[in-house]
Amino acid sequence: MESILSALYNGEIMPAEQCAARNRQYRELQREHCRHYEDFIQDLNRRDPSLAQKFIQIMDEQLERLPDEGERSFADGFRLGAKLMLEVFRAE
């Protein structure tokens, strides 16, 4: 059996992909939010297409930052787990 660290290094374990919500209510809430977003974009397009494009650009900028935030959160969680393990082993 391959070690977890080797699998992580070789890309066989992808924590970011495993964070997907498994809760049916949460997935439905996400779909509803997507529908609201699409409805809002259509409404903006009807009123002022340039405003719709500006809003999409702003949202895209926000979404570009999410992977960085996820990576930082993962690293912070990993560090906390490592510190916890160190504390456990020191207690023996």
Side-chain angles (χ1 to χ4, degrees), residues 59-70:
M59 293 303 293
D60 287 346
E61 289 170 358
Q62 294 278 325
L63 290 173
E64 286 175 7
R65 284 191 227 126
L66 286 178
D68 292 337
E69 291 172 11

Side-chain angles (χ1 to χ4, degrees), residues 83-92:
K83 288 176 184 176
L84 181 62
M85 293 303 293
L86 287 171
E87 185 176 316
V88 167
F89 287 120
R90 266 193 237 130
E92 290 181 4

